[in-house]
Amino acid sequence: MESSSSKHFVLVHGLTHGAWCWYKVVTVLRSAGHRVTALDLAASGVHPARVDEVGSFEEYSRPLLDAVVATPEGERLVLVGHSHGGFSLALAMEMFPDKIAAAVFVAAKMPCVGKHMGITTEFTRRTAPEGHLMDCEMVAIKNSQGAGVAVHMGPSFLAHKCYQQSPVEDLALANMLVRPGNQFIDDPMMKDGSLLTGGNYGSVKKVYVIAKDDRCITEEMQRWMVAMSPSTDVEEIAGADHAVMNSRPRELCDILIKIANKYDSSGKHFVLVHGLAHGAWCWYKVVTVLRSAGHRVTALDLAASGVHPARIDEVGSFEEYSGPLIDAVAAAPEGERLVLVGHSHGGFSLAIAMERFPDKIAAAVFVAAKMPCVGKHMGVTTEFTRRTAPEGHLMDCEMVAIKNRQGAGVAVHMGPSFLAHKCYQQSPVEDLALANMLVRPGNQFIDDPMMKDGSLLTGGNYGSVKKVYVIAKDDRSSTEEMQRWMVAMSPSTDVEEIAGADHAVMNSRPRELCDILIKIANKYE
């Protein structure tokens, strides 16, 4: 059985080579517990096709494309391409960006958005010294695209330009196994400047591994490609020739594992936001289940909630109240997208974070929560609650007079009968006892300018984030009618239901809620 920390690496060889060139890397990665797929592109390695039977660059890359397509839903790969294999990586990234956690270019051709892929080959030709190809043989071929030329690497070229730092056994192996390789210079894909888009290819995290003693694709050439894609992370290996996987296999594997851990997609990052008068403590069961399943979880206290040090009258605005969430989302590393989960009044804070940082959020989950809609002020949901709530709904809740920078106001302190009969009636009695010990007065910020601003939540930001509403069907605080009214106001929202869940869903039905959260995270990663 694989470890939850196991990654899946797909290794793509360079021109004239095959899966065989990765044999050392495959051994090290598998011994470290990772899955590895080293494949032969068409007419390479032991692939049965001849070079003249492969009619296009897409057909040449088909073994990689098929491998990425076959990836199970929810799994994201680390693609590793060497030399000319970088072009095949780029094609897979453009076609299937959601299936790739990171792409690693190892002394590889790395194209950039907005330019045709062949520009890198053109640069190599312009900057290479005379006689660079030494004893390489140009082989005339004819395929479905017409006449062309394939390259067969000569023994001197391999020895002095590619394998000069590698063990002599690896050079001998290469001389036995290289086959003629087609660069597909005239293939339409190589000449299409619109092929690689920012939304697909550009959205996948790229890491370039510079081989500092490479005489085939020189360090100058490698750094030029990195400069053309400035968002690319860079790693360097001193003493590595072009055949990095043979000259420095351990160093390369260390880098690959580090990259895979950094851009790990198997564990999701959930940020849990409590409701009014509560704190991070209310999520203790959910935190335990999600972390035991290998996920990262941040359960936070909003201002003057839980064990947050501020007093309620020191929090002057809804923005300040939501500050801990805003700061947490802002601090998310580049490339990481969060699953935000808000309960009850916490849905309003979620909405602000979604409006500010839509690109940092994979999905927002409203658990029996206040979910505002585009085009209406957030307070409309509170107004609906007040209009539809029966007389005496708040039971023994206490209204606490407060004064902050906005002036005089009222906070709510939830009474034990209200908690027992409206919020926790399906939850274990221990959770009700815990709530009675830990709830603090909560400010709804009814008169806060943010609550009254109908233009605050825009379709381009808040409306662009995937929303899922989890209906608690036995909720007596925010009734099912109220929850469905909010969903109806935002018709693109997905809906999940939990039977027998009271308002404190995380206590009455924690396992069911966690199953839903993990399903959502896998669907919208």
Side-chain angles (χ1 to χ4, degrees):
M1 182 176 177
E2 288 176 17
S3 163
S4 62
S5 63
S6 173
K7 313 301 185 292
H8 188 176
F9 297 89
V10 178
L11 310 180
V12 183
H13 60 80
L15 195 69
T16 80
H17 285 58
W20 55 266
C21 70
W22 295 105
Y23 77 102
K24 293 179 180 177
V25 170
V26 167
T27 302
V28 175
L29 292 179
R30 285 183 178 160
S31 68
H34 301 289
R35 292 179 60 199
V36 188
T37 300
L39 44 78
D40 289 317
L41 299 180
S44 304
V46 294
H47 189 281
R50 297 191 310 270
V51 67
D52 57 353
E53 294 175 330
V54 181
S56 67
F57 180 70
E58 181 166 358
E59 187 178 346
Y60 170 73
S61 303
R62 180 53 53 193
L64 170 61
L65 302 180
D66 289 345
V68 177
V69 168
T71 305
E73 185 178 351
E75 180 183 12
R76 294 173 74 220
L77 306 167
V78 178
L79 300 190
V80 184
H82 177 242
S83 195
H84 194 269
F87 291 137
S88 298
L89 244 63
L91 187 57
M93 294 157 69
E94 176 63 32
M95 291 184 174
F96 312 108
D98 295 338
K99 287 180 172 284
I100 304 166
V104 187
F105 293 79
V106 180
K109 299 292 182 68
M110 184 176 73
C112 61
V113 173
K115 297 185 183 294
H116 61 86
M117 293 201 293
I119 193 172
T120 59
T121 305
E122 293 170 4
F123 184 89
T124 304
R125 286 180 163 183
R126 287 198 310 270
T127 58
E130 188 174 354
H132 172 68
L133 291 180
M134 301 179 70
D135 58 341
C136 291
E137 181 185 358
M138 302 299 115
V139 182
I141 59 171
K142 188 173 184 181
N143 59 27
S144 57
Q145 287 187 345
V149 176
V151 180
H152 196 291
M153 293 182 179
S156 292
F157 179 82
L158 288 169
H160 297 286
K161 299 288 187 177
C162 301
Y163 284 78
Q164 82 277 3
Q165 299 282 16
S166 297
V168 291
E169 296 88 350
D170 290 312
L171 174 60
L173 193 66
N175 275 303
M176 294 173 183
L177 292 174
V178 293
R179 295 173 62 178
N182 189 348
Q183 292 180 288
F184 294 95
I185 292 171
D186 296 320
D187 190 281
M189 279 190 166
M190 289 291 176
K191 297 182 174 183
D192 184 356
S194 65
L195 177 69
L196 302 180
T197 64
N200 287 357
Y201 172 72
S203 71
V204 179
K205 188 59 203 178
K206 294 188 284 293
V207 183
Y208 200 99
V209 179
I210 291 176
K212 290 184 66 67
D213 201 19
D214 191 337
R215 297 178 185 172
C216 179
I217 300 179
T218 64
E219 183 175 351
E220 175 194 13
M221 173 65 177
Q222 295 174 67
R223 292 195 184 280
W224 176 81
M225 288 184 286
V226 170
M228 295 280 280
S229 297
S231 64
T232 304
D233 286 352
V234 175
E235 299 282 346
E236 300 180 3
I237 302 181
D241 56 24
H242 189 59
V244 189
M245 61 285 290
N246 293 305
S247 58
R248 293 294 185 272
R250 288 281 176 180
E251 293 91 329
L252 178 57
C253 287
D254 288 345
I255 287 172
L256 294 180
I257 292 170
K258 181 176 79 169
I259 290 167
N261 287 333
K262 182 176 180 180
Y263 300 107
D264 183 18
S265 62
S266 60
K268 312 302 186 292
H269 188 175
F270 296 89
V271 178
L272 311 181
V273 183
H274 60 81
L276 194 69
H278 286 60
W281 55 265
C282 71
W283 295 103
Y284 78 101
K285 292 179 180 177
V286 170
V287 167
T288 303
V289 174
L290 291 178
R291 285 182 179 160
S292 68
H295 303 288
R296 291 180 59 199
V297 187
T298 300
L300 44 79
D301 289 316
L302 299 180
S305 303
V307 294
H308 188 280
R311 296 191 307 269
I312 191 169
D313 56 356
E314 294 175 330
V315 182
S317 66
F318 183 70
E319 166 103 14
E320 189 177 344
Y321 171 74
S322 302
L325 171 62
I326 303 303
D327 292 345
V329 178
E334 184 181 351
E336 180 182 35
R337 296 176 74 226
L338 307 168
V339 178
L340 300 190
V341 185
H343 177 243
S344 194
H345 194 268
F348 290 139
S349 298
L350 246 62
I352 300 301
M354 294 158 69
E355 177 63 31
R356 299 269 177 87
F357 308 106
D359 295 337
K360 287 178 171 281
I361 304 167
V365 188
F366 293 78
V367 181
K370 300 294 179 67
M371 184 176 73
C373 62
V374 173
K376 294 185 183 295
H377 62 85
M378 293 200 295
V380 74
T381 59
T382 305
E383 294 171 3
F384 183 91
T385 304
R386 286 181 165 183
R387 287 199 311 271
T388 57
E391 189 175 352
H393 172 67
L394 292 179
M395 301 178 70
D396 59 341
C397 291
E398 181 185 358
M399 302 299 115
V400 181
I402 59 171
K403 189 172 183 179
N404 59 28
R405 292 194 305 275
Q406 288 187 345
V410 176
V412 180
H413 195 292
M414 295 181 178
S417 291
F418 178 82
L419 288 170
H421 297 286
K422 298 289 187 177
C423 301
Y424 284 78
Q425 81 277 4
Q426 299 283 15
S427 298
V429 291
E430 296 88 350
D431 290 312
L432 173 60
L434 192 65
N436 276 302
M437 293 173 183
L438 293 173
V439 292
R440 294 173 64 177
N443 189 348
Q444 291 180 289
F445 295 95
I446 292 171
D447 296 320
D448 189 281
M450 277 190 167
M451 289 293 176
K452 296 182 174 182
D453 184 356
S455 64
L456 179 69
L457 303 180
T458 64
N461 288 356
Y462 172 71
S464 71
V465 180
K466 188 61 203 175
K467 293 188 285 295
V468 183
Y469 200 99
V470 179
I471 292 176
K473 291 183 66 65
D474 201 18
D475 191 338
R476 296 178 185 172
S477 175
S478 180
T479 64
E480 184 175 350
E481 175 194 13
M482 172 66 177
Q483 295 173 67
R484 292 195 183 279
W485 175 81
M486 288 184 286
V487 169
M489 295 281 280
S490 298
S492 63
T493 304
D494 286 353
V495 176
E496 298 283 346
E497 301 181 3
I498 303 180
D502 56 24
H503 190 60
V505 189
M506 62 284 289
N507 293 305
S508 58
R509 293 293 184 272
R511 288 281 175 180
E512 294 89 330
L513 177 58
C514 288
D515 288 345
I516 288 172
L517 294 181
I518 292 170
K519 180 175 78 170
I520 292 168
N522 287 332
K523 183 175 182 181
Y524 299 110
E525 63 182 339

